[in-house]
Amino acid sequence: VKRDFETMRRLGHRMHGNGAAFGFETITDLGSEIEEAAEKCELETIQKSTSMLADYLIKLVIVYE
């Protein structure tokens, strides 16, 4: 298994920014956690945060008006 922490860091950074831009605070927070964990090469924290993200996205309901 390749552990590409730089890619994980970039993805976390993008999640942080995009979550904030679209008003998804949970995605913003998890993106920040992933970005910081990737900078420290903390794979366990990244796995925990991505699991939390998956749970959040499964439950997310978007309402169009």
Side-chain angles (χ1 to χ4, degrees), residues 10 25 35 42:
R10 282 194 313 260
E25 186 175 331
E35 180 180 13
E42 295 175 346

Side-chain angles (χ1 to χ4, degrees), residues 4-56:
D4 186 350
F5 290 104
E6 177 56 25
T7 296
M8 290 182 237
R9 185 200 64 74
R10 282 194 313 260
L11 291 172
H13 181 78
R14 289 179 186 162
M15 282 175 46
H16 177 96
N18 289 330
F22 291 100
F24 292 101
E25 186 175 331
T26 299
I27 294 175
T28 301
D29 294 343
L30 290 170
S32 181
E33 288 177 18
I34 292 169
E35 180 180 13
E36 290 176 22
E39 288 173 353
K40 299 174 185 176
C41 299
E42 295 175 346
L43 185 58
E44 188 173 311
T45 302
I46 294 168
Q47 290 171 327
K48 178 183 167 198
S49 296
T50 54
S51 177
M52 292 171 67
L53 175 64
D55 289 342
Y56 174 77

